[in-house]
Every structure is written in structure tokens, then in C-alpha cells.
């Protein structure tokens, strides 16, 4: 059996309305004209009560369609109720796709109608028989057509849904292949270049023999930053193409979670930046995604200050509150022009904004008193994975 047809109204409300209308029509018809059933000799109130009983059974027509149809057929012989009979036949036709069942109901119903007409009206002829046939076969055929159309619509909708899912899978596969290609390019080009830089810095650090402390310190910073860049590149490759990267050592952390904000500030100070740090709360207990966002924002802000505001003082404030983490990175005006013309793609601020937005937070950035301010609010849930 097929499912009941969908409607703007709930099915129970539709059934209630149909039941009330059919009961009213049956009672009204019994009082307006004499009954044409077998019980013509009974008082009109009895015939009206039978018509009301037949109409009331339509309330259960969806739950027990065959039982209701059989009862209406029997009562059609007793009290002529064509409207209730039409509704019952329509319900059977719309819920059943077996032609033999529909034909059986049509034959039995037509025979019952003829018996009722002949018993109540001795002069009943072809016109009355045709009317009874139309009241039974017509609703059956209409219900069957509506049910078939509903099934076809459901089949088409299911097919469309399958095609949409298939297209989504194809798109996801294409994106996965594209990410894998990007990961290969980053590994083969960027990773190779950074590895050479780390090796060269290490060779410079060892080869100086301690004769030039400033050179040794600078080489150590380059090697440390290059090594950190390789670790972060490895993390990014793990997101783009997990199969290309090997898992880390058990019990050790890598990436932004391993290096906190204080470590970033220490590295910046080693490079000669004047950085002030104030931390309220415990950022190390925040979820990894929030820690990663803090790490990236602070690192990007310190890098931008070093590139575009040489000699400026940078103040980093991290405040862990109940509603989230409040971060502020502000630098004063630069004391001189940038020493070199560094390349910049302008994606740092966009990337920070997107990262904070994905976490449900807000980020604002802009000039302030000759310097630059980056302010972010990132909500968090304690104990979130």
C-alpha cells in the first residue's frame, strides 16, 4: 500500500472535515427525500441515524481502508449513501495498486447498489444502475489515478535526491583531488625550499665556530623559524591530504598547541621586537581550535608589525573570560621605514577573519593612533574537543 497523500492540512484535520461534511449530507438527504434503501419502511430518524453512522466511519478510512469500505458497501444496501460510498472507494483506489482488488470492489459494490435500488424502488432501471456504477467505479478510478501520480512524483523526487547526492559526492571527490594536488605542490616546492633554508642556517650556525655571536644567533633564529615553518606546513598537508603525512609521536604535540602565545612573544623578542604580554586566565586549557586561532592571530600580527612598523612597541593582551577569549594586539607608530621591501599577498587579515568567523567570533582590525590594532573575541566551550 502506498503512503497517504501529502496535504497542506494535517491528515487528521482533513479526515475530520470529510467526516463532518459526509455526516451532514447523509442526515440532510435522509430528511429531504424518502430513503431508497431496503429499509424504506423505517422511520426517517432511523434512516438518518444509519447515514450518520456510515459517515462517521470515514474517520478511520486511512487506518482501515478495506474494513471501512466493506462496512459502507453493506450499509449502502440498507441506507442509500452515495457520498460516503464515493469517499470510501476513492480512499481504497488511492491506497491500493492491485487492479484485481479494485475490480472486485467495483463488482461487489455495483451488485450491492443494484440490490438496494431494486429492493427500495421496484421501478429502478438502467439509469439507477448506471448511477450506482458511477458512484463506485468512478471514485475507484479517480483514486487509483491520483495514487499512481503520487507514486510517480515520489519516484521522481527520490531520483532527484539521488542525483543530488551523487553530484555532491562527485564534487567532494573533485575537491579532495584538488586538495591533494595542492598538498603535493606545497610539499615539493615550499617544503623543499624551507628545508634548504633550515639546512643552510644550521650550516652557518655550526660553521661560524662561535667567532661571531650575532651571526650565530641570527642563524639559530632562522633555523628555529624554518623548523617551525616545516612543522606547520606538515600540519597543513595533513589537513589537505592526510595520507601524505605520517602520524606524530605518541604523547607529543605539534603545531600551534605545542607553541603557546608566550613562545611566540619570546621568539619575537629574540628577533629584536619590543613586545609586552599580558595573559589573564589559562589559554592552554582552551579547545585546540581556539588555541590554534589565537596562535595564528598573534603570529600574523607580530609578523605584520615587524614588517610594516619597525621599531614599534607591540602589546599583546589575552583575556580568558566566561563568554570567550578576548585578544588584543596593538602596535605603536613605526620609528622608521621598513628595512626591505618584503612581498605580501594581503591574505593574512582575510585568513584571520575567516578563522575567527568559523569559530563564531568577531575580529576587527585597523589603524589606531598611528599604529595598528587587531582585536578578536572568540567564544569557547570548556572541555570541548
Amino acid at each position: 500500500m502506498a503512503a497517504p497523500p501529502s496535504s497542506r492540512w494535517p491528515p487528521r484535520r482533513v479526515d475530520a472535515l470529510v467526516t463532518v461534511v459526509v455526516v451532514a449530507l447523509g442526515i440532510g438527504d435522509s430528511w429531504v427525500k424518502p430513503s431508497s434503501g431496503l429499509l424504506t419502511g423505517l422511520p426517517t430518524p432511523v434512516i438518518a441515524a444509519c447515514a450518520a453512522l456510515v459517515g462517521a466511519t470515514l474517520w478511520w478510512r486511512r487506518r482501515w481502508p478495506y474494513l471501512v469500505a466493506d462496512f459502507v458497501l453493506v450499509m449502502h444496501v440498507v441506507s442509500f449513501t452515495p457520498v460516503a460510498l464515493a469517499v470510501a472507494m476513492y480512499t481504497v483506489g488511492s491506497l491500493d495498486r492491485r487492479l484485481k482488488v479494485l475490480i472486485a470492489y467495483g463488482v461487489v459494490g455495483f451488485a450491492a447498489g443494484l440490490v438496494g435500488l431494486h429492493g427500495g424502488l421496484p421501478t429502478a432501471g438502467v439509469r439507477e444502475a448506471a448511477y450506482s456504477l458511477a458512484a463506485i467505479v468512478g471514485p475507484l478510478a479517480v483514486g487509483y489515478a491520483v495514487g499512481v501520480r503520487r507514486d510517480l512524483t515520489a519516484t521522481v523526487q527520490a531520483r532527484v535526491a539521488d542525483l543530488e547526492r551523487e553530484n555532491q559526492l562527485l564534487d567532494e571527490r573533485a575537491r579532495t583531488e584538488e586538495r591533494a594536488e595542492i598538498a603535493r605542490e606545497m610539499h615539493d616546492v615550499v617544503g623543499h625550499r624551507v628545508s634548504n633554508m633550515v639546512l643552510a642556517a644550521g650550516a652557518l650556525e655550526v660553521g661560524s665556530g662561535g667567532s661571531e655571536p650575532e651571526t650565530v644567533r641570527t642563524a639559530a633564529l632562522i633555523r628555529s623559524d624554518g623548523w617551525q615553518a616545516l612543522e606547520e606546513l606538515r600540519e597543513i598537508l595533513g589537513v589537505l591530504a592526510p595520507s601524505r603525512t605520517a602520524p606524530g609521536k605518541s604523547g607529543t604535540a605539534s603545531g600551534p598547541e605545542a607553541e603557546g602565545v608566550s613562545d611566540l612573544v619570546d621568539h619575537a623578542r629574540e628577533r629584536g621586537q619590543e613586545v609586552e604580554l599580558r595573559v589573564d586566565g589559562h589559554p592552554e586549557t582552551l579547545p585546540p581550535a581556539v588555541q590554534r586561532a589565537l596562535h595564528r592571530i598573534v603570529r600574523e600580527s607580530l609578523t605584520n608589525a615587524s614588517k610594516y612598523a619597525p621599531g614599534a612597541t607591540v602589546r599583546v593582551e589575552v583575556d580568558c573570560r566566561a563568554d570567550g577569549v578576548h585578544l588584543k594586539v596593538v602596535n605603536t607608530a613605526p620609528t622608521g621605514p621598513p628595512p626591505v621591501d618584503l612581498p605580501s599577498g594581503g591574505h593574512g587579515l582575510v585568513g584571520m577573519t575567516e578563522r575567527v568567523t568559523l569559530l563564531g567570533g568577531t575580529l576587527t582590525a585597523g589603524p589606531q593612533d598611528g599604529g595598528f590594532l587587531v582585536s578578536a573575541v572568540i567564544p569557547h566551550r570548556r572541555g570541548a574537543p
Side-chain angles (χ1 to χ4, degrees):
M1 284 173 56
S6 59
S7 175
R8 295 181 180 178
W9 283 11
R12 293 287 85 184
R13 184 180 298 180
V14 175
D15 292 342
L17 179 61
V18 170
T19 301
V20 171
V21 171
V22 173
V23 169
L25 290 177
I27 295 176
D29 185 67
S30 301
W31 284 93
V32 169
K33 62 181 181 179
S35 173
S36 57
L38 288 177
L39 302 181
T40 305
L42 293 178
T44 299
V46 176
I47 300 299
C50 292
L53 178 62
V54 172
T57 58
L58 296 178
W59 170 257
W60 296 279
R61 65 190 181 93
R62 297 181 193 269
R63 183 175 300 178
W64 300 300
Y66 305 110
L67 183 61
V68 171
D70 295 340
F71 178 77
V72 173
L73 279 174
V74 174
M75 293 301 296
H76 182 66
V77 179
V78 177
S79 121
F80 191 63
T81 53
V83 178
L85 181 62
V87 173
M89 293 298 105
Y90 172 85
T91 302
V92 172
S94 64
L95 297 179
D96 202 312
R97 301 293 172 271
R98 296 172 296 179
L99 291 177
K100 59 181 181 181
V101 174
L102 304 182
I103 293 175
Y105 268 103
V107 172
V108 174
F110 181 54
L114 289 180
V115 171
L117 287 172
H118 181 71
L121 297 175
T123 58
V126 177
R127 186 183 64 179
E128 287 75 10
Y131 180 79
S132 179
L133 179 63
I136 297 171
V137 177
L140 277 173
V142 172
Y144 181 81
V146 171
V148 170
R149 180 178 179 276
R150 184 174 63 244
D151 292 346
L152 290 177
T153 302
T155 302
V156 172
Q157 291 176 349
R159 179 56 181 166
V160 170
D162 291 340
L163 291 176
E164 290 179 352
R165 286 192 294 268
E166 184 177 353
N167 290 334
Q168 291 177 356
L169 292 176
L170 292 177
D171 292 341
E172 181 62 28
R173 180 181 299 174
R175 287 194 294 268
T176 301
E177 294 176 354
E178 183 179 3
R179 288 196 297 266
E181 180 65 23
I182 294 174
R184 286 192 293 269
E185 292 295 330
M186 294 179 64
H187 178 271
D188 297 339
V189 178
V190 181
H192 176 70
R193 296 291 185 182
V194 176
S195 298
N196 289 339
M197 292 169 55
V198 173
L199 293 175
L204 179 62
E205 180 183 4
V206 175
S208 62
S211 57
E212 299 179 4
E214 185 65 23
T215 302
V216 173
R217 189 178 67 87
T218 302
L221 288 175
I222 296 175
R223 181 178 57 81
S224 176
D225 289 345
W227 184 262
Q228 182 64 29
L230 285 176
E231 287 293 322
E232 293 178 357
L233 178 60
R234 179 177 177 272
E235 178 192 0
I236 295 174
L237 293 179
V239 175
L240 293 176
S243 61
R244 291 186 56 88
T245 58
K249 296 180 181 180
S250 177
T252 62
S254 61
E257 292 82 1
E259 184 181 36
V261 174
S262 60
D263 297 323
L264 289 174
V265 172
D266 292 339
H267 292 333
R269 289 170 178 169
E270 292 176 359
R271 290 191 296 265
Q273 279 186 283
E274 186 177 350
V275 184
E276 301 175 1
L277 174 63
R278 183 181 65 83
V279 178
D280 289 338
H282 301 278
E284 67 277 2
T285 63
L286 297 174
V290 178
Q291 293 187 45
R292 185 178 295 109
L294 287 175
H295 181 276
R296 298 293 170 83
I297 295 173
V298 173
R299 187 186 64 179
E300 184 69 22
S301 300
L302 292 176
T303 302
N304 289 340
S306 175
K307 290 165 58 176
Y308 305 117
T313 300
V314 185
R315 186 173 70 255
V316 180
E317 298 179 0
V318 181
D319 190 2
C320 300
R321 304 179 186 176
D323 61 335
V325 182
H326 293 247
L327 173 65
K328 181 183 294 185
V329 182
V330 57
N331 62 267
T332 60
T335 59
V340 292
D341 186 13
L342 297 175
S344 174
H347 302 296
L349 183 59
V350 176
M352 289 190 297
T353 303
E354 291 179 349
R355 182 179 295 274
V356 173
T357 302
L358 288 175
L359 294 174
T362 57
L363 184 141
T364 58
Q368 176 178 286
D369 300 332
F372 200 82
L373 169 66
V374 176
S375 178
V377 179
I378 308 175
H380 64 82
R381 293 178 300 164
R382 292 291 182 181

